[in-house]
Amino acid sequence: MDQLKYIEEPDMFHDIFGHIPLLILPEYSDFIQAYAKMALKYTHNEKATALLQRLYWFTVEFGLIYQAGKAKIYGAGIISSPQESRFSVSDASKKIPFDIDVIFNNPFRKDDIQNEYYVIDQLSDLADCIPTVEQHLQNLIQKGLGDVKPVR
Ligand SMILES: [Fe+2]
């Protein structure tokens, strides 16, 4: 129990209870698979990788989902932190509708509880966003990405 703290590596609780259970859901595993395929295409591009880190961070690690009008946790980074689990779904947290443009423009923080959470309406929103993400990356690469750092 004394190891159930925020991001201590290696964190078996985080991996086993946070990441693995959702993989049984096709809507979720489809996203993970599509994300991985896309990420492999951009491993040579540091800036695109930084943007993909933001997407991963604000979904797989710190995502929320609406169920019956209430925000629920699906992000492994949230679920493996008792403090963040309570905070993220409370009225005190800032909840933003899931939006690729907003996520791509928002560096994340690794050192503390998140300032905001992006909320999907259903798990299929994740896999459905992949073509949009790919298009955004292509557009940004054509324009030049500028400086992109994944973390604040
Ligand atoms: Fe994780």
Side-chain angles (χ1 to χ4, degrees):
M1 290 301 290
D2 64 333
Q3 295 179 6
L4 289 179
K5 292 181 182 171
Y6 181 84
I7 300 184
E8 285 189 10
E9 304 287 347
D11 187 339
M12 291 301 288
F13 180 79
H14 171 78
D15 291 334
I16 292 174
F17 292 96
H19 282 296
I20 292 186
L22 286 177
L23 292 173
I24 200 167
L25 302 171
E27 298 92 343
Y28 186 80
S29 59
D30 286 350
F31 168 68
I32 296 295
Q33 189 171 18
Y35 176 94
K37 283 182 184 173
M38 182 174 53
L40 280 173
K41 286 195 232 171
Y42 294 98
T43 54
H44 64 285
N45 188 314
E46 194 174 315
K47 293 172 182 173
T49 299
L51 294 175
L52 287 170
Q53 282 180 290
R54 291 179 183 173
L55 175 60
Y56 188 91
W57 188 264
F58 288 119
T59 57
V60 174
E61 295 292 359
F62 291 93
L64 295 177
I65 183 170
Y66 283 122
Q67 277 187 335
K70 288 192 164 190
K72 305 282 178 127
I73 300 163
Y74 74 89
I78 300 175
I79 205 74
S80 54
S81 163
Q83 185 184 8
E84 187 141 23
S85 290
R86 285 188 291 274
F87 174 74
S88 67
V89 295
S90 74
D91 291 339
S93 73
K94 184 176 178 185
K95 300 171 190 72
I96 301 169
F98 180 68
D99 184 302
I100 297 301
D101 283 323
V102 179
I103 287 174
F104 273 6
N105 284 299
N106 192 12
F108 56 82
R109 55 188 305 171
K110 294 176 73 171
D111 59 337
D112 204 350
I113 284 180
Q114 302 303 299
N115 288 328
E116 61 277 309
Y117 302 90
Y118 295 90
V119 192
I120 57 175
D121 292 315
Q122 58 265 324
L123 275 180
S124 59
D125 290 351
L126 296 173
D128 290 348
C129 85
I130 292 291
T132 304
V133 170
E134 182 98 48
Q135 189 61 54
H136 275 56
L137 290 177
Q138 287 300 318
N139 292 344
L140 291 170
I141 286 169
Q142 285 173 1
K143 288 188 221 166
L145 289 171
D147 268 347
V148 177
K149 292 180 181 154
V151 297
R152 288 184 180 150

